Amino acid sequence: MKTTFSNESTRNRHFMEACRKVLSESAGLTAAMVAERAAALPAPCYYITYGYALRRLRALRKQGDPSAGNPKGARALWAELHLRVDALSRRHGISDSEALARVLAEGRASSFFLAPRSALRLYQAIRFRHRLYRLRP
């Protein structure tokens, strides 16, 4: 969903930097292994807009515990944001919206929050586009 990303090209660039790091540290890896290991590395930020994150967190809180479910992918993103926002809000006695703004500004996500298959598709798509544009005159 494109509207969730504040800057998709930045996310792609950071993901490819993580893939290059994985490749430099290990040899003989398949594309799937590279993508999965890179997706598990810490990301510099969350790549979502403040407005979308605020709406989504509030909706998830009404439904129940946002941390329940699949430990990978989008559900893990919302669980981590939920925990960080709640902790910051309680620690500093600030509103959820201010705590969310601080968490997003601080960045330092624990991973790229991509399931292994999604990470592989993204890795292959970025490599394909790079090769395509590199070959054009």
Side-chain angles (χ1 to χ4, degrees):
M1 182 183 297
K2 280 193 170 188
T3 59
T4 63
F5 296 116
S6 61
N7 194 338
E8 193 172 356
S9 62
T10 303
R11 189 263 331 248
N12 292 352
R13 188 178 75 246
H14 289 164
F15 182 68
M16 284 308 289
E17 288 169 3
C19 290
R20 286 185 200 100
K21 181 179 178 184
V22 169
L23 285 168
S24 71
E25 294 172 352
S26 303
L29 298 175
T30 65
M33 292 162 64
V34 169
E36 186 173 353
R37 289 182 185 183
L41 291 175
C45 57
Y46 285 99
Y47 312 107
I48 55 175
T49 62
Y50 170 78
Y52 177 74
L54 187 61
R55 285 190 312 272
R56 186 82 171 131
L57 278 176
R58 286 181 175 165
L60 287 171
R61 284 185 177 152
K62 285 181 183 177
Q63 294 173 359
D65 184 14
S67 60
N70 186 5
K72 292 193 178 199
R75 200 167 282 265
L77 165 72
W78 298 113
E80 181 174 309
L81 275 177
H82 171 71
L83 292 174
R84 287 185 67 186
V85 166
D86 276 357
L88 193 63
S89 179
R90 275 188 257 116
R91 185 170 49 243
H92 295 290
I94 57 178
S95 68
D96 287 349
S97 57
E98 187 177 340
L100 176 62
R102 287 185 185 186
V103 168
L104 292 178
E106 181 182 280
R108 296 191 328 232
S110 64
S111 72
F112 284 91
F113 301 105
L114 294 168
R117 292 183 74 188
S118 298
L120 177 59
R121 279 195 304 270
L122 178 61
Y123 180 59
Q124 290 173 332
I126 295 170
R127 287 180 60 206
F128 175 78
R129 280 193 302 260
H130 178 72
R131 287 180 183 158
L132 182 68
Y133 291 119
R134 189 178 61 196
L135 295 175
R136 287 188 173 170

